[in-house]
Amino acid sequence: MARSTEQGCSNMVRQLRAEATRAAALRAAADLFLEVGHANATLSQVSAQSGVTKGALYFHFASKEELARAIVDEGHERVSTACAGMVDSRSPALESVIGISYSVLELAASDPLVRVMYRLQMEIDGSDTARGSVFGTWGNIFEHLFERAIEHGDVADHLDAGNAALLICEMLAGVLMVSEAQSRLEDAPSRMEKVWNTVLPSLVPVDKLAYFREFAARSLSSFVRENITSGSVTV
C-alpha cells in the first residue's frame, strides 16, 4: 500500500512538472511571437526565453507549427470560457452580446496569449485546430443570443439571427484588427462602444434604443473603472 501511494505521488509530481513546463513554453512563445512574429521566431529562442530545455520543449511540441496551434487552442479555450460565463439566461440576450464584445477585446489587451491567438488565426490555418476558429465560436454564441433577443422582443423581429450574428462578428473583428494595427488595443472597448452607438438603431425597436445605448455606455464605464483600478489600462 505504501509503495502504491508513493508511486501515485511520484506520478502526480511528474504530471505537474510536465504541465508547468508546457505552460512556461506557451507563455514564452506567446511573448516571442508578439515581439518578432511567428515567422521569425525559432524553437531555440522559445527554449532560451522559457528556460525549458530543448529536449523538454520537443517532447511537448514537435515543431513550431505544433506550438503555434497549441497557442491557438489555449487562447480559444480562454475566450470560450470568458464568453460562456456571460451567456446568462436571466439577463437580456442583447446585453450579453454587448458584454461579450467588450470581454473578448479586454482579453486581447490583457492576455498576451489570447492576443497572439488572434494573430495566428489570421497567419496560419487556425480553423484546422481541434478547437476550431474563435471567430466561429463568436458566431455560434451570437446567433443563439440573437435568437433569444428576437423571441423576447429586444431586437427587431424582421432580423435574421444568423445575419445579425455575422454583422457583430465582422464589426468585432474589425475593431480588433484596427486597434492591433495601431498598437492601441487598450482603446478597443471604447472603439466598440462607438460602434454599438452607431449600429443599435438598426437592431433594436425605437422604444428600446435609449436603454441599450445607455447599457453599452454604462458597461464600458464599468470596464474602464475596473481596469484603471487594476492598472492595466492607461488613460
Side-chain angles (χ1 to χ4, degrees), residues 206-223:
V206 174
D207 61 331
K208 296 190 177 184
L209 176 58
Y211 171 79
F212 282 109
R213 274 181 164 167
E214 180 184 354
F215 177 82
R218 187 170 66 248
S219 297
L220 175 65
S221 298
S222 175
F223 162 80

Side-chain angles (χ1 to χ4, degrees), residues 61-177:
F61 310 105
S63 65
K64 186 174 68 173
E65 287 66 32
E66 189 172 313
L67 176 58
R69 294 188 186 282
I71 289 177
V72 170
D73 286 349
E74 175 63 24
H76 189 181
E77 183 67 28
R78 295 182 187 186
V79 172
S80 297
T81 298
C83 291
M86 301 188 72
V87 181
D88 187 344
S89 60
R90 296 168 296 180
S91 300
L94 187 55
E95 289 186 5
S96 295
V97 173
I98 294 170
I100 287 171
S101 73
Y102 292 147
S103 180
V104 298
L105 293 172
E106 187 276 333
L107 275 174
S110 63
D111 189 333
L113 193 145
V114 171
R115 183 179 175 187
V116 170
M117 179 270 292
Y118 287 131
R119 284 190 187 180
L120 292 174
Q121 289 267 265
M122 300 172 192
E123 292 179 13
I124 67 173
D125 185 13
S127 62
D128 193 37
T129 67
R131 302 294 297 171
S133 166
V134 68
F135 305 113
T137 296
W138 292 352
N140 292 335
I141 292 174
F142 288 154
E143 183 170 0
H144 167 71
L145 288 171
F146 271 113
E147 287 172 351
R148 276 180 44 208
I150 292 171
E151 180 183 350
H152 295 160
D154 286 335
V155 299
D157 57 10
H158 66 269
L159 285 177
D160 177 82
N163 289 338
L166 178 61
L167 172 65
I168 303 306
C169 285
E170 297 286 350
M171 293 191 310
L172 187 50
V175 168
L176 179 66
M177 292 175 65

